[in-house]
Each structure stands twice: as structure tokens, then as C-alpha cells.
Amino acid sequence: MNQQQPISFEPPRGMRDFYPEEMAWRERVFNAWRQATRLCGFSPYDACVVESLELLQRKAGEEVTDQIYNFEDKSGRKLALRAEMTPTLARMVAARQGGLRFPLKWSAIAQCFRYERMTRGRKREHYQWNVDVVGEESVLAEAEVLNAAATALRMMGLPDASWRIHVSSRALLAELLAGLGFAPESHAAVFLALDKRGKIPDDAIAALLRDGGLPEEGVPKVFRLMEVSSLDEAEALAGADSKAVARLRELFRLAAIYGFADNLVFDISVIRGLSYYTGIVFEAFDTERKFRAIFGGGRYDNLLTSIGGEPTPAVGLGFGDVVVQEVMKEVLGDCGRQREDRVAVGFMTPAERDAAVSLAARLRSEGRSVDLSLSAQKPKAFFKAAGEGTASHAVFIGPDDVASGSARLKNLETREESAVALAPAQTDTAP
Ligand code: HAM
């Protein structure tokens, strides 16, 4: 007989299980995202994880299109697991373009799949909070999106000193490249090549630039652009009438009103690896730059037309759950387990079980969360488990409590105690 190979207990490479401990961390992140979505007035939306491959594939030589998990269904349809939410958002908007009231402020928490090389901060599956404004040309859209992300970071408990948003503009880079005499057709290839700086050697980037149609003498000029270190310097090169510089200055001005300008830094090296960005682009990092990007995004005014929709300006970001958790663990320490407003209820012997069930039922009917022990325990074991758990309060019912009709509700944080009434013992009504 064929001996079956034992099945591995590990999830497939790059995929994650969320045991309660990991789930507590994930919930902390998701709660901050949800609260920021609500506070900043974005409307939640969702879509199916499976998309048509055609929508996701672009011919721009981006990494993300090589990383798509694609498959054929049983009818031969070419499908894929979404690698990001933006093409789906564009499709959904295009499908109802006549009936939607613009600008849209939409947000989703989307699980995304990318067949990535596994490195720190990169999984083959991650959750990504997407925050997008569709149908607004003004820089206020960029500011609203970035403010939502800053709000979420603060709600996660990350102090302002621990993160920075690096911002630049592809429109600015395009102006500077045009100033150097490079034809607009070469710009897209230059962007994608420059985005790889720091990831591959400069020689390899020079080769990509040449492949993209840049003449040999253009290569060092492009590298020199990457040394521009301030908006003033960029303006000196682009000219006082630069529209791109004006938009960046406006973003900094608005950020000051919102209250996150101190966390915003101009950084010409931010280009982004996705081909659809057209204007301001940004990426957030931990201040010490130990980790990969916490979130990234930018303006993509041509994506809707590229899939057949009406011309519609748009700006947004994707904020993953993996890197931010690494940053939180580094900055905040092991505080993933937070006490919640919940009462742990335990009992000493089977004789107190009904009193415990009755108390749990009453507290739950009052809307309180209750974790009821399912078997009798010694008080020491009960309080040890409660102390290590996430409940904020604990009640342990012994024979004396049932006799007196009252037990003690203990606050596990402050150790304060208060009395809680127990229902009188139920008389057996069975015939
Ligand atoms: P992205 O830069 O490819 O942009 O991803 C955004 C964020 O998702 C990253 O900064 C990172 O936090 C997270 N992320 C991406 N790939 C992985 C991975 N393999 N493992 C863990 N985390 C990952 C986009 O996806 C754009 N669609 C964002 C956007 C929305 N632009 C406009 N609207």
C-alpha cells in the first residue's frame, strides 16, 4: 500500500497563520486603520481577492507584474490573486463612473498576494490598508490621504519621532529630465531604473538607463539629479515657475495645518516601483531606516484611462501590516497583548458552576465581554491564567461566595476590588 507523506503543519512558504497572539497584533493594526478611516471620513469598500489576470498585467517592466499568483479556472479563464488593490479600485470606479459622486474617498483593508523573494518585511501574502481619493486634482487630496496614514500611525501608539514620510514628485523628476534634454518617452524607464537604487548596484542601474534609451553621457547626469537634497535646490534646477515644485510646497504648507509637517521630508530618491504614478509620490519609513517602507503611494492620474475609463485624477496609498508590526515591536516593545474590557469568570468546585454560568449570562446580557472558565480550578491557577490573559477583570466564585450571594470583581490592572451580586441558587425544577 502507498504510504502517504505526512502533511506539513507549516503554512505554504510566505503565507501566515494567525494564532491568537499574532492576531492580537494584527487587530491592533487593523483597529488603528479602521479608526483612522472613520476619523478621516473615508468610506470602506471591498472586492473579491480574485481578479482577471488581464487587469493586473501591465507591460511596464514592474516587479509586481512578475510576482502575480495566476491560475486558470476550470473553464480556462485566466485569473489571479490580486497583488494590490489599485487596479481593482480603478475597475470598480470605471464600472460606475457615471453614477458616482466625485471626489470619492474610499478605503479598504485588502489581503494581497505577491510571489516575492522572501526577505525581511516581505511575505507572499499581506494585508494592505488602501486609502484613495479619486476625482480630485488639488494637493488637498494628497494631504488628506497622508493625514489618514499619520492618524493611523499615531493610533498605533508610534511616537512622531519614530517615523517619517519621504516625499517627492515624478512630475518634478520629469521636469528635471526634460531640462536635461531627455525625451518624455524615456522617463518611465528612468523612473523604474532609479527606483531600484540601493537594491541593485549602480552599474546595473546605468545599464537599465541605457536600455531605456538614455544616451551614455546622460547616465551620470541622471545620477547627479539624485543628489538634489532640498526643495530649494530642486527649484533652482527646475525654475521658479515649476508646477511640480509648487505642488510640493503646497503639500508641506497643508501638512503644517494638519499637524504632520515635522514628519514630512523632501527626498528626491522616492520614485516608487509602480508605473502608474504621475505626480507626487511618497513612502514612509521608521526614522532610523532599519526597516522597509511602512507605506507607499502617490498620484496616479492616468490609471483610469489606461483601463478604458474616463480621465480621472486620483491619489492614494497602500499601508501593509508586516513592516509596521516590526516597527511597533522595535519602538514599543512587546505590548501586542493589551488588556480588553472583559471579565474572566472562574469557579472552585462543580457546586459553584451554575452560579458562575448565571453571572456570565447576566454580565453578557448587560453587554460585557465574559470569558467563562469551563471547569473548576484552584484560585491560584485561575488568577495566574487571568493575569497572563487579556481580560481586564476577574471574578472567582468559591463556596463562601455562593453562600453569601456575592463575589469580588477584581480589576487586574489596579488590583481594586468591588462586590458583584450572585443570583440565588437555582432550585431544581425538573419533574
Ligand atoms: P506598494 O508600494 O507596492 O504600493 O505597497 C504598499 C505597501 O504594502 C508597502 O509599503 C508595504 O507596506 C506593503 N507591502 C507590499 N508588498 C508587500 C509584501 N510582499 N509583504 C509585506 N508587505 C508588503 C501599492 O501596492 C500601491 N497599490 C499603493 C497605492 C494605493 N497607490 C495608490 N493607491
Side-chain angles (χ1 to χ4, degrees):
M1 220 171 72
N2 240 351
Q3 191 79 32
Q4 269 207 332
Q5 284 284 326
I7 288 174
S8 167
F9 292 152
E10 296 301 317
R13 190 167 158 74
M15 307 291 163
R16 294 172 295 170
D17 292 326
F18 294 88
Y19 285 79
E21 205 176 302
E22 288 99 34
M23 198 62 190
W25 276 102
R26 190 177 114 181
E27 277 300 294
R28 224 176 138 187
V29 171
F30 277 34
N31 285 338
W33 287 343
R34 289 192 199 104
Q35 283 187 57
T37 300
R38 193 185 61 77
L39 276 176
C40 300
F42 283 78
S43 306
Y45 73 101
D46 204 356
C48 184
V49 146
V50 174
E51 266 296 354
S52 71
L53 181 60
E54 198 188 0
L55 178 77
L56 305 188
Q57 268 178 335
R58 295 181 292 263
K59 295 169 203 70
E62 304 157 296
E63 245 175 17
V64 73
T65 50
D66 299 332
Q67 296 169 337
I68 294 173
Y69 274 90
N70 56 314
F71 59 97
E72 270 187 22
D73 73 5
K74 289 180 203 245
S75 311
R77 285 185 197 88
K78 292 190 190 325
L79 301 173
L81 300 180
R82 66 176 168 225
E84 49 160 341
M85 197 63 171
T86 314
T88 301
L89 171 67
R91 178 179 62 67
M92 287 171 68
V93 172
R96 302 249 173 116
Q97 203 144 11
L100 293 167
R101 277 246 312 261
F102 295 96
L104 311 172
K105 288 175 65 184
W106 282 11
S107 171
I109 298 177
Q111 194 175 20
C112 300
F113 296 82
R114 298 182 188 184
Y115 194 79
E116 290 250 13
R117 208 166 56 82
M118 296 276 290
T119 52
R120 194 166 183 200
R122 284 289 173 271
K123 307 273 177 206
R124 290 183 176 165
E125 150 280 318
H126 71 284
Y127 286 92
Q128 203 189 80
W129 181 44
N130 278 253
V131 181
D132 291 86
V133 175
V134 181
E136 179 55 53
E137 255 164 33
S138 87
V139 185
L140 191 52
E142 273 89 339
E144 267 289 276
V145 159
L146 287 177
N147 177 62
T151 303
L153 284 164
R154 287 171 178 159
M155 297 211 133
M156 287 170 198
L158 286 169
D160 280 15
S162 64
W163 51 272
R164 292 284 175 271
I165 302 168
H166 294 238
V167 54
S168 184
S169 162
R170 282 195 180 181
L172 169 66
L173 216 48
E175 284 179 10
L176 297 175
L177 290 170
L180 291 173
F182 301 129
E185 300 81 70
S186 66
H187 294 181
V190 174
F191 295 155
L192 289 184
L194 290 180
D195 180 64
K196 297 202 163 60
R197 283 192 86 214
K199 297 172 199 153
I200 60 172
D202 278 0
D203 289 353
I205 289 166
L208 285 175
L209 289 171
R210 276 183 233 107
D211 293 348
L214 220 64
E216 186 61 49
E217 66 280 9
V219 174
K221 290 185 187 164
V222 167
F223 279 125
R224 265 201 301 283
L225 280 186
M226 291 293 100
E227 283 157 24
V228 169
S229 64
S230 70
L231 210 41
D232 288 344
E233 212 182 310
E235 188 169 13
L237 289 174
D241 57 349
S242 159
K243 285 201 182 76
V245 170
R247 286 182 73 89
L248 281 164
R249 289 213 190 278
E250 176 65 356
L251 178 61
F252 276 89
R253 201 187 64 78
L254 289 167
I257 306 174
Y258 279 100
F260 64 89
D262 291 347
N263 279 63
L264 206 56
V265 283
F266 172 72
D267 179 353
I268 199 152
S269 73
V270 175
I271 291 157
R272 310 271 303 135
L274 300 161
S275 57
Y276 49 65
Y277 293 112
T278 51
I280 288 180
V281 279
F282 39 79
E283 268 172 359
F285 293 93
D286 59 298
T287 307
E288 291 184 23
R289 293 296 293 258
K290 282 197 187 165
F291 303 97
R292 298 186 62 148
I294 299 173
F295 67 76
R299 181 165 280 278
Y300 52 101
D301 286 346
N302 300 334
L303 184 61
L304 261 104
T305 29
S306 76
I307 65 160
E310 296 295 315
T312 313
V315 57
L317 60 83
F319 185 147
D321 66 329
V322 179
V323 177
V324 82
Q325 280 188 42
E326 291 177 342
V327 176
M328 284 166 83
K329 286 174 187 164
E330 169 90 4
V331 174
L332 306 172
D334 185 20
C335 57
R337 186 183 62 99
Q338 282 186 324
R339 292 205 180 279
E340 288 164 40
D341 185 15
R342 179 178 309 125
V343 187
V345 174
F347 53 96
M348 198 172 330
T349 74
E352 292 86 51
R353 193 172 72 161
D354 288 0
V357 172
S358 164
L359 176 64
R362 197 184 80 223
L363 291 173
R364 284 171 180 159
S365 74
E366 289 166 5
R368 293 201 74 173
S369 160
V370 176
D371 178 16
L372 173 68
S373 293
L374 300 180
S375 58
Q377 273 169 301
K378 294 223 160 36
K380 208 171 152 194
F382 169 76
F383 280 108
K384 183 168 187 289
E388 288 166 2
T390 55
S392 55
H393 294 79
V395 183
F396 188 73
I397 305 172
D400 297 348
D401 302 313
V402 173
S404 69
S406 166
R408 286 186 309 279
L409 177 76
K410 187 169 180 175
N411 182 321
L412 293 169
E413 206 78 74
T414 64
R415 310 264 137 208
E416 276 164 36
E417 291 189 354
S418 57
V420 58
L422 298 179
Q426 297 258 325
T427 44
D428 195 349
T429 51

